[in-house]
Amino acid sequence: MFIYLYDEAATPTLDLGGITNYIKDKLPSSQIEVRENFITFHLARLERRGREEKMSHLAEELARAKVRKLGAPLNDLFVPLKGEIGYERRRLENQNKRVAGILYDGFVLSGILQGLLPPEECALNQVHIVFTNQLFGTWDEHDRRYHARVSIYNKPSLISTTGIVEAPAKPREYYLLKQQYTALGMYDAAEVGLKGNFRGRFIDYNDERMTRVMKGYVLQALMHQLTGEPFCTDKSCRLYNAHWQEEVIRSQVENPYDLCPAHERMLEALLS
Ligand SMILES: [Zn+2]
C-alpha cells in the first residue's frame, strides 16, 4: 500500500514523523510519503497557466462547499458572492494559516480535493490522508442538520485538527458551568474557569496529545481503505467512533491496548 500523508502546518503539536513510524509499525510493508499541504502540493505540479485557472475554479468550488445554515443541505443552484470567492482565493494562496468559523460540507470538500489528484495516484492501493485545520461536517438525514466531524473517509480522507477540538462533545458539566457563567454575565471567568476545571478532559488546540490521538484516525482511514469498515464497537479500540471528548481520550490516549484483540487479529490476517 502507498500512503501519502499531507501536513497541516498550523498545528505544531502534530508530528507526521511520529505518525509515519506508527503506520510503519502497524503495516510494515507499506510505503509512506509525507507531503506538504495537499492543495499547495498538487497545484505546484501544474504549469503556471493551468495553475491560475485551477485556482479560480477551486475558489468558486470551495465557496459553494460552505455550509450556510446548519439546518439546510447544500443547494447546487446557490451562487456564492464575489467576496466569498475572493476570500477562498486568498486562502488558497496562503494555506498554512488557521481558518476560523467556516464549516464546509466534508464530502463535497473531499470531492473537490479529489479533482486535484493525478490519475496515476488514484489506484486502489494508494491512500491519501489529508490533515487540515478546516472544519467540516456531514449532513444527517435523520435529524436534518449538519454535524461537525473529525474525519471523512474517502479519496482523499480528511482529518481535521480543528474538528478534534470542536466536534466531539465536551463533558456535560462543561456546558452546564458555561451556561451558569454566561447567565451571570461572567464571560471571561467562563473562559478561564472552564479551561482550568476541564484541563485534560478534552483535546484542545495545540494539545500535546494531538499526534497520539491522530494515529487512531489515520488507522481508521487505512481500515476503511482495506476493509470498507473504519469503526469498532469496542470503546477502548483505536477504531472506536467517538462522539464525546471523554471517549476520544479513552480510545486514543488511555487505551489499555492499541487495537482490540479482534482488530489486532484482523490486521494480522490482512498482512499475511
Ligand atoms: Zn477494534
Side-chain angles (χ1 to χ4, degrees):
M1 201 190 275
F2 292 88
I3 302 164
Y4 305 97
L5 299 177
Y6 296 87
D7 206 355
E8 190 272 89
T11 303
T13 49
L14 177 66
D15 166 28
L16 290 202
I19 290 180
T20 301
N21 290 339
Y22 180 75
I23 304 172
K24 273 263 167 242
D25 187 47
K26 291 282 165 207
L27 301 168
S29 60
S30 61
Q31 299 228 32
I32 308 161
E33 187 182 320
V34 174
R35 294 173 167 178
E36 60 181 323
N37 167 283
F38 185 92
I39 289 179
T40 313
F41 180 86
H42 287 292
L43 281 178
R45 292 181 310 104
L46 303 174
E47 283 174 41
R48 196 188 156 88
R49 230 184 79 199
R51 196 185 314 150
E52 279 301 310
E53 270 171 36
K54 191 81 194 172
M55 272 171 98
S56 301
H57 182 62
L58 272 178
E60 188 174 334
E61 281 189 302
L62 289 168
R64 283 179 189 274
K66 197 164 112 179
V67 172
R68 284 150 207 285
K69 271 192 205 153
L70 288 180
L74 290 196
N75 177 354
D76 291 343
L77 300 175
F78 183 85
V79 181
L81 299 171
K82 261 203 169 125
E84 293 175 310
I85 299 172
Y87 168 85
E88 295 296 344
R89 175 75 207 219
R90 287 191 297 282
R91 280 260 313 133
L92 286 169
E93 283 158 13
N94 189 359
Q95 280 291 306
N96 293 335
K97 259 174 98 174
R98 181 167 284 288
V99 269
I102 300 181
L103 181 77
Y104 296 87
D105 182 300
F107 282 105
V108 174
L109 184 61
S110 169
I112 293 170
L113 298 186
Q114 193 176 90
L116 284 168
L117 285 175
E120 66 272 19
E121 287 191 4
C122 289
L124 270 176
N125 65 344
Q126 287 169 309
V127 192
H128 297 264
I129 300 174
V130 181
F131 286 100
T132 173
N133 63 49
Q134 260 165 4
L135 190 61
F136 48 76
T138 54
W139 175 255
D140 185 337
E141 206 39 75
H142 182 69
D143 66 359
R144 304 213 38 92
R145 53 169 283 150
Y146 273 95
H147 293 272
R149 297 280 177 218
V150 181
S151 53
I152 295 282
Y153 301 127
N154 203 11
K155 198 174 200 86
S157 284
L158 312 179
I159 304 178
S160 173
T161 52
T162 304
I164 192 64
V165 181
E166 303 295 343
K170 295 183 174 68
R172 285 182 206 281
E173 309 95 278
Y174 175 93
Y175 298 103
L176 276 174
L177 212 59
K178 188 169 183 171
Q179 226 171 35
Q180 287 170 13
Y181 277 124
T182 309
L184 295 169
M186 297 160 69
Y187 304 106
D188 290 347
E191 267 307 300
V192 176
L194 288 172
K195 285 253 156 132
N197 283 353
F198 291 91
R199 195 173 303 282
R201 291 177 68 190
F202 62 88
I203 303 300
D204 207 348
Y205 292 103
N206 296 327
D207 199 298
E208 75 272 7
R209 297 167 294 182
M210 188 64 83
T211 302
R212 180 156 185 187
V213 168
M214 287 308 181
K215 288 173 182 171
Y217 287 87
V218 167
L219 220 47
Q220 290 176 10
L222 296 173
M223 255 349 217
H224 176 258
Q225 179 82 10
L226 287 166
T227 69
E229 178 51 62
F231 301 127
C232 178
T233 51
D234 182 329
K235 287 193 163 193
S236 296
C237 179
R238 285 271 199 186
L239 305 178
Y240 185 70
N241 186 13
H243 287 89
W244 290 84
Q245 288 283 345
E246 285 167 327
E247 293 174 337
V248 171
I249 289 166
R250 174 166 173 181
S251 55
Q252 305 300 350
V253 182
E254 293 169 351
N255 50 354
Y257 38 71
D258 211 47
L259 285 169
C260 69
H263 275 106
E264 206 60 79
R265 280 196 301 276
M266 193 188 280
L267 197 63
E268 229 165 82
L270 284 167
L271 293 175
S272 61

